Amino acid sequence: MRKNIVAGNWKMNKNLKEAKELVKGIRKGLKNNNFENKRVIVAPSFINLNSTVKRTKKSNIEVAAQNMHEAKSGAYTGEVAADMLTDVGVNVVILGHSERRMYFNETNELLAKKVNTALANNLEVIFCFGELLEDRKTEKHFEVVENQLSEGLFHLLKEDFSKVILAYEPVWAIGTGETASPEQAQEMHAFIREVLAKKYDEKTANSISILYGGSVKPANAKEIFSKEDVDGGLIGGASLKSEDFLAIIEAI
Ligand code: PGA
């Protein structure tokens, strides 16, 4: 059975001290939580990964990186390699976030390479994708999403694909306060599962967790998560306060 996942993407927020406080708050709130069918992941900036891994030891909180370079090592100033992540105890990486696509020109082609490198290093991938407002307005959203999946992921064999978590994040809903309606999210998630069944098979399609991301907050999480094909969320702004993040985890 696929797992429900709540992942907090801290983006370029939280210094060392603030990260420590946030983890402390989340740990405290999750003390008596049942993790049987649930995963909680936090994604701090690179510089806070090591300390966050240490601070989440002996808890059920997992730590993800927000990005990673596709090469094994080399002259890539400012970049971080996959084995540097695993070396400090990180086992999940977010790839393809719309901010990486938009501000750092990450293409589906590049992301396919990053996905390969991550999986080859035993990093689980949270693969983000989603349409722009213009795509939705012109009713191209299904086509755009299918294309992002196909170019970024569908070169993978079934066994490797099952190590990927999908995060559908309509770009118009990220950080805007505007959320896709639960119906819009469900419609897209069901479509994604159909596409996966067509490419791989029904069993694979049903085993992949598909998260929704884009202005999820305590007030709307329950309704979005109640939809059949929504298996949790990738949370930005609301993951920066432990009370909000805990309330969202509670909603799953
Ligand atoms: P948001 O961000 O929750 O602040 O909209 C979501 C994301 O970018 O993953």
Side-chain angles (χ1 to χ4, degrees), residues 7-9 11 94 97-99 128 167 169-171 173-178 212-217 233-240:
N9 175 11
K11 308 191 180 181
I94 299 173
H97 191 279
S98 64
E99 287 147 19
C128 306
E169 301 202 302
V171 179
I174 296 178
T176 57
E178 188 164 344
Y212 167 79
S215 299
V216 176
K217 32 189 183 278
L234 181 56
I235 322 298
S239 72
L240 299 175

Side-chain angles (χ1 to χ4, degrees), residues 101 106-116 127-129 142-156 161 166 195-196 199-200:
R101 293 174 185 263
E106 294 198 1
T107 59
N108 292 331
E109 197 189 348
L110 171 71
L111 291 168
K113 289 184 193 156
K114 290 196 178 202
V115 167
N116 291 345
F127 186 82
C128 306
F129 55 96
F142 293 117
E143 195 186 311
V144 166
V145 161
E146 185 164 5
N147 192 46
Q148 287 170 323
L149 290 172
S150 156
E151 293 185 2
L153 291 175
F154 284 178
H155 60 285
L156 295 175
F161 187 78
L166 298 181
V195 171
L196 300 187
K199 166 68 190 171
Y200 295 102

